[in-house]
Amino acid sequence: MIIYNVTINIDDSVHDKWLLWMTEKHIPEVLATGKFVKATFVKVLVVEEMGGSTYSTQYFAESHEKLESYYNEDAPRMREEGLKLFGDKMLAFRTELEVLKEF
């Protein structure tokens, strides 16, 4: 199992609009691509010096091939919408994780 982790710091001025967009539109659309089996959406509890709020979304893919398929077929369109709506009010970084064992 591969986890595609997207961590985003969102400015307070667009927080509520962004949170609604993430939970009602963006995450469901990413899941609708069929590349991921589930997603978790969590709030990071560390207070950032830069301000705003930080969240992490973890998308679970059955294989690295599924994730690559998402990158090639869907990611540019998905990222573009977020940039268009929130621009520099949103700072994102992405990490790939491999699940080695669950306890």
Side-chain angles (χ1 to χ4, degrees), residues 20-44:
L20 185 64
W21 174 75
M22 281 294 288
T23 58
E24 300 296 320
K25 187 171 190 311
H26 184 70
I27 294 171
E29 285 182 355
V30 172
L31 290 174
T33 67
K35 310 299 190 315
F36 303 100
V37 296
K38 70 176 185 174
T40 58
F41 182 62
V42 299
K43 183 170 184 170
V44 176

Side-chain angles (χ1 to χ4, degrees), residues 3 9 11-12 14-15 18 30 34-35 40 48 62 69 72 74 77-79 86 89 94:
I3 301 171
N9 179 272
D11 189 88
D12 291 336
V14 294
H15 176 270
W18 175 85
V30 172
K35 310 299 190 315
T40 58
E48 293 289 342
E62 293 175 333
S69 175
N72 294 328
D74 307 292
R77 172 176 41 89
M78 297 292 183
R79 291 178 187 176
F86 304 105
K89 303 289 185 188
R94 295 158 181 87

Side-chain angles (χ1 to χ4, degrees), residues 32-61:
T33 67
K35 310 299 190 315
F36 303 100
V37 296
K38 70 176 185 174
T40 58
F41 182 62
V42 299
K43 183 170 184 170
V44 176
L45 298 179
V46 174
V47 176
E48 293 289 342
E49 286 182 23
M50 70 176 85
S53 298
T54 303
Y55 294 84
S56 175
T57 309
Q58 292 125 19
Y59 300 97
F60 293 77

Side-chain angles (χ1 to χ4, degrees), residues 71-90:
Y71 288 155
N72 294 328
E73 299 170 12
D74 307 292
R77 172 176 41 89
M78 297 292 183
R79 291 178 187 176
E80 184 180 321
E81 182 178 11
L83 286 172
K84 186 188 296 184
L85 290 170
F86 304 105
D88 65 353
K89 303 289 185 188
M90 178 178 81

